[in-house]
Amino acid sequence: MKQLIQILEGLGSTLQLLMRAASYAGTLPRQIGRFVEQCYTIGYTTLPIVAILSFFIGSVLALQSGHAAENFGPKQFIGLLVGLSMAAELGPVMVAVLLAGRVGSAIAAELASMKVYQEIDALETMNIPPARILVLPRLAAILVMMPVLTIIADLVGWFGGAIVAKYTHFISIEPESYFATMRQYMEFRDVWNGLVKAEVFGFVIVLVSCNIGLNTRGGPREIGASVTRAVVVSLILILVLDYFVTKALM
Amino acid sequence: MAEAPSTTRNPFTHVETPAVGVAVEDLCKSFGTFEVLKHVSFSVAPGEIFVLMGPSGSGKSVLLKHIVGLELPSSGRVTVDNRDAAAEETREQVRMALVFQAGALFNSMTVYDNLALYPREHRIADEAGIREKVMRALQILSLENAAEKFPSELSGGMKKRVAIARALVMEPQLMLYDEPTSELDPVMSATIAEIIATLKDQYRVTTIVVSHDRDLALNISDRVGILMGGELLFLGTPAELRTPTDPRVADFLNPKIDLQNPRFKKLET
């Protein structure tokens, strides 16, 4: 019962924070500096790890499907398999999991320490709403950067699969053939749906992490607890939302 | 009580505006079952400097947070300039600045940007005007050379002075200080006390200081309140404070070290 109340309280405070941040949307043009800084932090600094992971996920997908296709099934469909898997599921989910661990934890840690060391109280006494200068630029940045990161993850994953498909001796498919099945059978909607999912995941990760950070009470130990909670809650929400968003988009 | 001036002088424009008063009426605050403040009542006249003393954990900082609207009363009322301190509009209508115990400086910003944040966010002036205001505030606190430093590069005393300068940039009608001399050496404590008194004398800003520094209270205050265990045990002038009638207040102000019967053995666990 106590946990249920905590969950409902968390949901309520998260929605309140969203409403407050949305009410300051008009101030975004004059916060362009903060927005660009967050785009850099969320997007640019996450890019290398997204590229490395998606390259190897695409490679493993090609390797596994190539190995399975040795015994049954036509190998030229490996391109389609890698393409669909990356665009519809693995691209958005993998980027979201990475962001939860890297960006969600950083946001929770920064805002929690600002709360614990009374910087948030200082903002409030200055009549500067934290939702305006700390939450809104981050939410705007994730909405812009999440599709970019997901498209890059998709492309690099496809490329990794193509390299493995060509140079693995038991697959040996030329890139032309690999990409031909992708072009032939994949639709724009497959990529689009993946981008919609990624937007939802990214937005939720940032919102939840901001809320957990801003509601931290106590000392340094609670900062660590908030970081852990932000990552765990984000991961759970990614997987739960994945099901519902996928179903809604079908 | 000292004759209270009725106007506050803006440190930058020198414009005179009516000074604000504070009233705490039958204030109670509980966290769960723990009563932090018990029916506390007092008022601070416009332009007055009021020092609230008390031992650690007596509820002084919680009381201060009620005045700036960071905490809501369990019962009772706090008004600033006859407006409810808990209402968000009050912070828009009355300029209140709180100097936090640890400074609460924004660690990711330079000293200059810490001071410039308020005028930038409230679009009080253009960047040249903000620069002039920030440099003037730093000059008042003798901090001109610290403008480009980060808070992590400052000493404890400098952090407190930067926090006061940041509060000053807000052109406050009400200045609140939370333990401004804690963790400082005696000379720096005296310096901070001099700064508080000078700002009050020059700009006649209504000032409330929370502290357990007896010298500060006796030397710079118009009136003093002593809060112990959530109750206001003393309210009077510094002269009256020198001859307290309540033995608990007397013990707090002049504690004798008693090795035969040490206090810590009498503390509740």
Side-chain angles (χ1 to χ4, degrees):
Chain A
M1 189 62 190
K2 195 181 164 190
Q3 279 184 327
L4 181 66
I5 291 170
Q6 278 180 341
I7 290 169
L8 290 175
E9 278 177 354
L11 186 65
S13 64
T14 308
L15 289 175
Q16 273 185 339
L17 183 64
L18 173 61
M19 300 303 285
R20 279 204 300 274
S23 72
Y24 298 117
T27 67
L28 198 57
R30 66 185 175 92
Q31 296 198 68
I32 198 75
R34 290 194 189 105
F35 167 74
V36 171
E37 186 189 330
Q38 290 304 323
C39 284
Y40 175 82
T41 308
I42 291 172
Y44 185 74
T45 60
T46 314
L47 194 57
I49 192 158
V50 164
I52 292 167
L53 281 188
S54 47
F55 180 88
F56 284 102
I57 285 178
S59 306
V60 169
L61 271 176
L63 202 62
Q64 292 275 24
S65 48
H67 183 63
E70 251 192 323
N71 303 320
F72 50 89
K75 286 181 188 172
Q76 63 268 33
F77 285 106
I78 288 172
L80 175 62
L81 199 142
V82 173
L84 260 181
S85 305
M86 284 303 298
E89 191 62 38
L90 288 171
V93 171
M94 183 204 64
V95 171
V97 168
L98 267 178
L99 277 180
R102 197 180 183 284
V103 176
S105 61
I107 290 173
E110 185 180 348
L111 300 195
S113 62
M114 286 183 78
K115 178 75 181 172
V116 166
Y117 297 111
Q118 294 188 303
E119 291 179 33
I120 301 292
D121 286 348
L123 283 176
E124 283 174 358
T125 58
M126 290 176 173
N127 206 20
I128 301 170
R132 187 177 79 200
I133 68 163
L134 297 174
V135 181
L136 181 66
R138 287 178 165 88
L139 286 175
I142 194 73
L143 284 177
V144 172
M145 294 316 294
M146 200 63 187
V148 175
L149 286 173
T150 309
I151 287 172
I152 290 170
D154 290 350
L155 291 173
V156 174
W158 294 345
F159 180 69
I163 289 178
V164 168
K166 178 173 168 61
Y167 292 106
T168 305
H169 68 93
F170 58 81
I171 305 176
S172 295
I173 301 173
E174 286 304 311
E176 293 77 20
S177 168
Y178 173 91
F179 284 112
T181 51
M182 222 188 267
R183 277 197 300 273
Q184 195 176 350
Y185 294 103
M186 269 183 73
E187 296 174 12
F188 175 71
R189 214 185 74 163
D190 298 320
V191 178
W192 176 252
N193 286 352
L195 295 180
V196 171
K197 279 162 77 166
E199 283 283 53
V200 174
F201 299 157
F203 195 77
V204 167
I205 291 165
V206 171
L207 187 61
V208 164
S209 303
C210 285
N211 190 54
I212 288 174
L214 288 173
N215 283 301
T216 306
R217 275 179 183 266
R221 190 175 161 185
E222 280 72 22
I223 297 173
S226 285
V227 172
T228 308
R229 196 177 311 124
V231 174
V232 170
V233 172
S234 296
L235 289 177
I236 292 170
L237 285 174
I238 290 166
L239 297 178
V240 171
L241 285 170
D242 190 23
Y243 173 80
F244 288 107
V245 177
T246 304
K247 200 153 190 266
L249 291 171
M250 274 177 174
Chain B
M1 193 199 312
E3 185 69 25
S6 58
T7 57
T8 298
R9 192 157 66 102
N10 187 304
F12 306 101
T13 61
H14 304 294
V15 171
E16 303 270 340
T17 51
V20 300
V22 176
V24 178
E25 298 162 16
D26 201 26
L27 179 67
C28 294
K29 178 67 180 181
S30 301
F31 292 112
T33 55
F34 180 59
E35 273 188 288
V36 180
L37 296 172
K38 300 167 189 170
H39 304 283
V40 175
S41 295
F42 66 91
S43 62
V44 180
E48 189 181 16
I49 182 159
F50 181 84
V51 176
L52 187 64
M53 297 180 74
S56 302
S58 59
K60 304 184 300 292
S61 298
V62 174
L63 178 51
L64 209 56
K65 284 186 174 180
H66 280 84
I67 296 170
V68 288
L70 288 176
E71 290 282 358
L72 300 178
S74 299
S75 68
R77 191 162 178 254
V78 179
T79 58
V80 178
D81 199 25
N82 296 316
R83 300 163 216 262
D84 185 0
E88 263 185 45
E89 308 85 71
T90 306
R91 266 183 262 165
E92 288 164 19
Q93 290 155 349
V94 182
R95 292 186 307 277
M96 293 181 266
L98 171 57
V99 178
F100 288 84
Q101 186 172 354
L105 300 175
F106 304 113
N107 281 312
S108 57
M109 296 181 193
T110 61
V111 166
Y112 180 89
D113 287 332
N114 261 279
L115 269 66
L117 183 67
Y118 180 84
R120 274 179 188 153
E121 284 303 314
H122 292 280
R123 293 197 268 188
I124 286 169
D126 58 15
E127 203 53 43
I130 290 170
R131 177 151 201 94
E132 194 182 329
K133 194 184 284 278
V134 168
M135 294 316 290
R136 169 84 183 118
L138 289 172
Q139 188 192 12
I140 290 172
L141 275 300
S142 307
L143 284 164
E144 298 98 316
N145 296 331
E148 296 311 317
K149 289 186 174 169
F150 282 88
S152 58
E153 299 171 278
L154 304 176
S155 66
M158 281 178 90
K159 276 184 190 168
K160 301 256 185 191
R161 280 155 61 206
V162 171
I164 295 171
R166 188 176 69 178
L168 207 59
V169 170
M170 292 170 70
E171 303 174 14
Q173 295 165 285
L174 174 62
M175 279 281 267
L176 302 114
Y177 298 85
D178 189 4
E179 304 279 9
T181 58
S182 67
E183 299 159 30
L184 297 180
D185 62 69
V187 174
M188 189 46 73
S189 295
T191 307
I192 297 292
E194 287 162 5
I195 289 168
I196 295 170
T198 306
L199 292 179
K200 187 261 174 184
D201 285 343
Q202 288 187 353
Y203 309 117
R204 300 187 295 276
V205 180
T206 309
T207 304
I208 300 176
V209 184
V210 155
S211 178
H212 39 61
D213 185 335
R214 188 184 51 186
D215 293 338
L216 180 140
L218 290 172
N219 286 302
I220 69 165
S221 67
D222 292 322
R223 280 191 311 143
V224 184
I226 295 196
L227 196 67
M228 289 177 93
E231 291 177 83
L232 198 62
L233 296 186
F234 174 88
L235 193 61
T237 62
E240 290 165 339
L241 188 67
R242 289 176 200 273
T243 52
T245 50
D246 190 313
R248 290 170 294 177
V249 175
D251 185 51
F252 170 69
L253 292 171
N254 294 296
K256 304 263 184 311
I257 296 171
D258 184 356
L259 296 177
Q260 303 306 316
N261 190 19
R263 284 179 187 77
F264 73 92
K265 298 232 168 162
K266 291 183 271 182
L267 291 175
E268 289 174 22
T269 53

